[in-house]
Amino acid sequence: MRRAPRAQRPVLALLAAASAGLIVIGVPGGLALRHAAGAEPAGRAGGTSAALGGTAALGGSDAGDVRAYELENARLAARLWAARAEHDRAARLAELREAAPYPGLVPAHVIAVGEGPGRADTVTIDAGTRRGVRPNMAVVSGDGLVGRVIAAGADSATVLLATDVTSGIGARLAGSRHVGIVTGEGMRSGGLLRLRVLDARAPLRVGQRVETLGSRGMRPYPAGVPIGEVIEVEPATDQLTRSALVRPAVRFSALDVVGVVTGSGRSGDARAG
């Protein structure tokens, strides 16, 4: 980088001092620095001295005022972000209750993402046995199926995601009687699902919706919860089944508000949006 000629260096110093003065406009103690930085220099030495005198105004109590101003700004920003987060969560909770109107639906927040023993795709939620959560209960979001509870403590529970390679979900092609099994491919493999339909003549096509088949008492899964959408029909490998790749309805990388289905009956359609 080229260095500025000697004749320009005092001017650059004054500009830098003036910029610093503008930065502190609006903070206590900033006025003195603006005046010092904007003073008419009597000469090179005078201009430099004025600028240096202005920076001295940030010493002592003025510097303390600047720090207090910065701390207050940080506190206000934190409150704003907290309010926005609470608003977003309230909106997602409303979406969840509208999309999955089950009796006894227990709302919860995802508080950790981790790997359980031998299980790659799990999350921890902040609801447990004190709120009626038990193993083998379905977990849903406003978009569809998240997974099922595999362990529950007093105030938290571990959820096995539908994407896990050990997950197996009874499924149905929406609007048809063709049933099959959905298994996970693992988040590390792209987070897709694989559907295996138990009928080689089933009319599989891209864009078909896949939903839960459902179990008696909704354990582990209620019927009709969106699982995902067919994005690729795979070539037939046998005369008994057909398979396809499915994109999950849920964004597993952005889980936040979820609900645990604890009730024993349905009060409405579980399909999202």
Side-chain angles (χ1 to χ4, degrees):
M1 179 180 296
R2 294 178 57 187
R3 300 183 61 185
R6 292 178 181 273
Q8 295 181 13
R9 292 177 190 171
V11 178
L12 293 176
L14 287 173
L15 289 174
S19 299
L22 291 174
I23 290 172
V24 297
I25 290 175
V27 303
L31 186 59
L33 179 56
R34 276 189 294 156
H35 287 167
E40 189 71 29
R44 293 180 185 176
T48 305
S49 297
L52 293 176
T55 58
L58 286 178
S61 62
D62 288 340
D65 288 342
V66 171
R67 284 194 293 272
Y69 176 78
E70 291 172 343
L71 287 173
E72 182 61 20
N73 263 355
R75 280 193 288 267
L76 290 174
R79 290 174 188 170
L80 177 61
W81 281 111
R84 286 177 177 172
E86 187 63 28
H87 178 270
D88 290 346
R89 282 186 165 183
R92 281 192 283 268
L93 179 57
E95 292 172 359
L96 170 66
R97 285 175 169 159
E98 181 179 356
Y102 297 104
L105 184 73
V106 175
H109 299 114
V110 173
I111 57 175
V113 179
E115 297 185 359
R119 301 181 178 92
D121 298 349
T122 60
V123 297
T124 301
I125 59 175
D126 63 354
T129 56
R130 293 183 195 273
R131 296 173 61 189
V133 175
R134 300 287 186 275
N136 223 32
M137 288 181 170
V139 179
V140 299
S141 75
D143 296 318
L145 184 68
V146 173
R148 63 182 175 88
V149 176
I150 56 172
D155 298 302
S156 64
T158 302
V159 179
L160 182 72
L161 303 182
T163 56
D164 189 79
V165 294
T166 66
S167 175
I169 304 164
R172 182 195 305 274
L173 290 172
S176 79
R177 295 186 177 183
H178 296 289
V179 301
I181 300 172
V182 168
T183 55
E185 294 290 292
M187 290 297 291
R188 294 179 181 178
S189 300
L192 294 177
L193 309 173
R194 176 167 272 107
L195 168 68
R196 186 162 59 92
V197 180
L198 306 179
D199 184 350
R201 297 170 297 176
L204 272 178
R205 64 181 183 278
V206 172
Q208 281 181 299
R209 292 180 59 194
V210 181
E211 59 187 30
T212 55
L213 180 60
S215 307
R216 178 173 297 181
M218 301 194 301
R219 301 282 290 272
Y221 304 112
V225 180
I227 296 175
E229 180 180 297
V230 174
I231 60 171
E232 180 183 336
V233 178
E234 298 180 318
T237 57
D238 59 58
Q239 298 179 345
L240 300 176
T241 64
R242 294 196 68 186
S243 62
L245 289 178
V246 174
R247 179 188 297 113
V250 171
R251 288 182 57 201
F252 289 98
S253 60
L255 286 175
D256 184 7
V257 177
V258 297
V260 183
V261 182
T262 66
S264 59
R266 280 185 79 156
S267 61
D269 191 355
R271 293 175 178 80

